[in-house]
Amino acid sequence: MSIELRHFRCFLAIADTLSVTRAAERLHLTQPAVSRTLRQLEQDLGVRLVDRSTHHLALTPDGLAFRDQAAIAVTAFDRALGHARRTSWPLRLGHAWSAAGTGTTALLRRWHEEHPETPLELLRIDDRTAGLARGDVDAALLRGEVRAPGLITEQLTTEPRVAGLPADDPLARRPTLSLADLADRTLALNTVSGITTLDLWPATARPAATITIGNTDDWLAAITGGRAIGVTTSATAEMHPHPEMAYVPLTDAPPVPVVIAWRDGPGHPRIADLVALAHEVMGHRHTAPNAT
């Protein structure tokens, strides 16, 4: 049996839903057909992709690694087919939160003016690489250290860190804060796409408790609802003002690098133009990219 694109699509549907039933509904197939296709793929690859030993499906380590590569392959096929049919080939720019900060509007408008033949689609994807590693986007604006293999990054700028507090919090009235001022509070941590961890504090003076959230909207809700405080960058304050939220500069927290990233290999032909424009809008041009 040779592997076909339908095997990849079937596996990705299972990986996205973690359910044979929901994958079958998405693909308009029967459950036995989905199970059979997955079994054929695993047999041909010689690895187990999905752990079916519990009541809930889960991807094995091999499945997790294969998912990203399968997504890249399917995306490349779909886009090549669309290009061959002379459909438009948009350039997809991902971000996990805050996009290009206050430069977002300028970036989008200048791109439209200078490259009207290539639509630039800005996509928020709640993922550490904003979907770049999976092939969901062509490039991404990311914050913090990017450790995913196979990506190239160029630093655009840095952003200072700020504390996010309920507007009626006593600390919200201060002009600046230190990390120590937050050590007795509950900290909201975005473990999906965020960059703040307890390692930002000394081991002996870390926040007393944490709550885990998965995206910027839930982070804002946790803070404005009085459940926690947070640490983010100035871009969040610029892009997400809220009447019940206060952002206070942190004096002793290191700034956060903002990078543009893309995959090391064949990609959209306009990536170089996007990188150059991002440097113009957000920062200054660096002489050489860094492979990470």
Side-chain angles (χ1 to χ4, degrees), residues 22-194:
R22 291 194 294 273
E25 292 173 351
R26 175 182 295 187
L27 298 170
H28 305 291
L29 297 172
T30 65
Q31 294 182 40
V34 170
S35 296
R36 184 168 58 253
T37 303
L38 173 62
R39 186 165 58 252
Q40 291 170 345
L41 177 62
E42 290 179 322
Q43 289 173 350
D44 206 60
L45 291 174
V47 296
R48 190 178 185 185
L49 301 173
V50 178
D51 183 358
R52 298 180 283 278
S53 62
T54 63
H55 294 298
H56 301 284
L57 296 185
L59 298 185
T60 65
D62 286 326
L64 289 169
F66 184 70
R67 177 188 61 187
D68 291 345
Q69 298 305 314
I72 291 172
V74 170
T75 300
F77 175 85
D78 290 342
R79 300 197 70 181
L81 191 62
H83 185 63
R85 291 173 174 168
R86 300 186 182 278
T87 59
S88 62
W89 190 356
L91 178 56
R92 301 162 304 169
L93 177 61
H95 70 104
W97 44 277
S98 296
T102 54
T104 302
T105 298
L107 180 67
L108 295 175
R109 288 187 175 179
R110 283 195 54 185
W111 180 269
H112 178 67
E113 293 168 358
E114 298 175 20
H115 305 281
E117 75 288 351
T118 303
L120 179 60
E121 298 179 353
L122 184 65
L123 304 172
R124 174 182 147 183
I125 299 177
D126 293 317
D127 173 77
R128 184 65 191 93
T129 66
L132 182 60
R134 300 197 308 261
D136 294 338
V137 296
D138 302 296
L141 294 169
L142 305 173
R143 288 168 173 81
E145 183 178 358
V146 180
R147 298 179 179 177
L151 301 184
I152 297 174
T153 66
E154 287 192 17
Q155 182 169 317
L156 300 171
T157 186
T158 60
E159 294 171 348
R161 296 189 200 239
V162 299
L165 304 158
D168 58 356
D169 190 294
L171 293 181
R173 294 193 292 269
R174 297 191 187 180
T176 61
L177 293 170
S178 68
L179 290 171
D181 292 325
L182 310 178
D184 62 345
R185 300 300 188 90
T186 297
L187 178 69
L189 294 178
N190 180 348
T191 58
V192 176
S193 59

Side-chain angles (χ1 to χ4, degrees), residues 8-23:
F8 282 30
R9 294 193 191 278
C10 180
F11 167 71
L12 290 172
I14 295 172
D16 286 345
T17 63
L18 294 179
S19 166
V20 171
T21 300
R22 291 194 294 273

Side-chain angles (χ1 to χ4, degrees), residues 250-279:
L250 287 167
T251 58
D252 57 349
V256 174
V258 182
V259 305
I260 186 168
W262 64 98
R263 289 186 298 279
D264 185 10
H268 198 289
R270 291 293 187 185
I271 287 178
D273 295 323
L274 178 62
V275 172
L277 182 59
H279 276 292

